[in-house]
Amino acid sequence: MNKAGFSQNGQLNVAVAGLGWWGKVIIEALKDNPKIRVVKTIDPVPAAGDWAKTQGLDFATDYNEALADPKVGGVILCTPHSLHAEQVESAARAKKHVFCEKPLALTRRDAVAEVEACKANGVILAVGHEHRFKPAMQDILRMVRAGELGTIQMTEATLTLGLRPLAADNWRLQKGEAPAGSMTALGIHGLDICVAINGPADSVFAKMSSLVSPTRDTLGVLVSFKSGASALISSVFGPPFSIRFAIFGDKGWVQVQDKTHPQAPEGWLLTKYMQGGKPQTVEYPVMSMVRANLEAFADAAAGRAPYPITHQEMVDTIAALEAIGKSSESGAIVPVVGAEKSSPISRSQLRGVPVGN
């Protein structure tokens, strides 16, 4: 393949915007990747260019410079959440494919605008929901979509992470960037999985507290879906790292536990318990689900395969996130905007949705 934005050997050339902790993790994950390569970096802080130079990467402080660069075929956004909507739409207008770190947006209106901009300009939109791409979750999604677990009644997601020392003015601590405490950093991954399994949410109830730090560190969410199923999401800063997803149906239940943070994965444990049987546990070997998500983005941009997270799922996840933010402030049950326009997901619909590479 030899076209604008791609290398001679078919790699998608990307610019990474945002050289904080996660931007550097992304760049490290893409070293020597056969499908995607970093050709430019962007950060408004000039000092970030010193690190970029140690990696042999071009650096700019102006995002628009990357959008105007003909050798750049896509952008990866590791920027503050409040900037995502504008940056995604700008990239789409510049005909650049977009991989946006989660959350895609902070409001359903912005998520819809981002999706429409990418569709109108014929570019791929991908999101940093890497937990979709771990092999254990791929198997769970196949079980759900094949009806193996029966009617899904309850989904649980528990995500915890030890408190990291951050300056008081760090953007990740600002209410405008994290409207429901740890939800945008942790809980959003659980919400994405719940939407993948249950379809659009109908209403949410969230309870948030500051128990071990000045930050809003403890969040519990009850989500009701149009399908009639429910989900419980626990998103907590303080305890050591843990991520656990569990799905309960009338024919059986399945649970997956991460051993370590996706920055340095060590594999996963999946336990399955079917009616009339006994619990069975399978151990999954190490792989990089971060890299797998980015490669799925590159495959979609090159036309090799559709990106496995649908536009509708992206919008439904942000619609629920917006409602969670409102509920965590008001203490009330909050309806999900747009739920009245969406239909409950059916098993037949799920069978047509790809689960990943």
Side-chain angles (χ1 to χ4, degrees):
M1 180 182 299
N2 182 14
K3 60 180 182 178
F6 286 82
S7 68
Q8 290 287 341
N9 62 359
Q11 292 168 298
L12 175 65
N13 294 330
V14 297
V16 175
L19 295 182
W21 163 61
W22 195 249
K24 293 174 180 176
V25 169
I26 291 284
I27 290 170
E28 181 64 30
L30 291 178
K31 283 186 176 178
D32 301 317
N33 192 281
K35 295 184 178 183
I36 184 170
R37 67 171 184 168
V38 179
V39 296
K40 201 176 195 70
T41 58
I42 309 102
D43 196 288
V45 179
D50 296 337
W51 180 86
K53 290 175 183 176
T54 67
Q55 306 299 305
L57 296 170
D58 288 345
F59 174 79
T61 57
D62 186 356
Y63 179 61
N64 291 319
E65 182 175 323
L67 300 186
D69 190 337
K71 73 174 179 290
V72 172
V75 295
I76 298 175
L77 301 179
C78 304
T79 52
H81 310 148
S82 61
L83 300 179
H84 288 174
E86 179 182 351
Q87 290 178 334
V88 168
E89 291 181 61
S90 295
R93 290 192 295 269
K95 309 297 184 183
K96 309 295 185 186
H97 301 290
V98 189
F99 183 101
C100 182
E101 262 309 322
K102 50 77 183 168
L104 176 63
L106 295 174
T107 67
R108 180 182 184 276
R109 169 184 268 184
D110 281 346
V112 169
E114 290 168 85
V115 164
E116 292 302 319
C118 289
K119 288 168 63 176
N121 288 281
V123 299
I124 297 300
L125 176 61
V127 188
H129 290 309
E130 61 267 7
H131 290 275
R132 291 269 197 121
F133 294 83
K134 55 192 176 189
M137 185 56 68
Q138 295 280 298
D139 285 346
I140 287 175
L141 291 174
R142 290 189 186 98
M143 290 178 208
V144 169
R145 292 169 185 183
E148 187 175 335
L149 300 178
T151 298
I152 303 303
Q153 299 166 271
M154 177 66 70
T155 307
E156 293 181 358
T158 301
L159 305 98
T160 66
L161 187 65
L163 288 166
R164 289 188 294 147
L166 296 173
D169 61 350
N170 187 284
W171 66 266
R172 295 180 183 275
L173 300 180
Q174 306 311 307
K175 184 177 177 181
E177 302 289 351
S182 62
M183 191 66 200
T184 49
L186 286 175
I188 188 75
H189 289 300
L191 183 59
D192 167 65
I193 297 299
C194 291
V195 167
I197 289 169
N198 300 296
D202 184 64
S203 65
V204 305
F205 173 70
K207 177 68 168 63
M208 186 166 57
S209 304
S210 299
L211 297 178
V212 298
S213 72
T215 65
R216 297 173 296 170
D217 49 56
T218 306
L219 175 69
V221 183
L222 172 63
V223 185
S224 298
F225 292 88
K226 295 201 74 174
S227 67
S230 297
L232 295 170
I233 301 174
S234 302
S235 182
V236 188
F237 285 144
F241 171 83
S242 173
I243 289 184
R244 179 184 66 86
F245 299 107
I247 297 90
F248 299 88
D250 66 319
K251 293 183 180 180
W253 60 258
V254 64
Q255 171 182 292
V256 59
Q257 179 87 38
D258 287 47
K259 291 183 179 180
T260 54
H261 191 278
Q263 181 179 355
E266 294 183 4
W268 301 268
L269 292 174
L270 182 147
T271 301
K272 178 181 174 183
Y273 193 3
M274 303 301 292
Q275 292 282 16
K278 295 182 178 180
Q280 298 178 329
T281 299
V282 178
E283 186 166 356
Y284 288 75
V286 177
M287 55 82 70
S288 172
M289 56 192 185
V290 173
R291 185 166 59 245
N293 191 2
L294 291 161
E295 289 180 348
F297 167 56
D299 284 339
R304 291 186 288 264
Y307 185 68
I309 303 177
T310 68
H311 286 161
Q312 189 60 57
E313 289 174 328
M314 295 177 191
V315 171
D316 288 342
T317 296
I318 298 306
L321 173 67
E322 183 178 11
I324 289 168
K326 293 176 180 178
S327 180
S328 68
E329 293 295 334
S330 68
I333 297 173
V334 174
V336 175
V337 173
E340 68 281 358
K341 301 177 183 178
S342 57
S343 301
I345 200 164
S346 68
R347 193 172 296 146
S348 61
Q349 287 175 309
L350 278 171
R351 288 195 185 110
V353 177
V355 294
N357 291 354

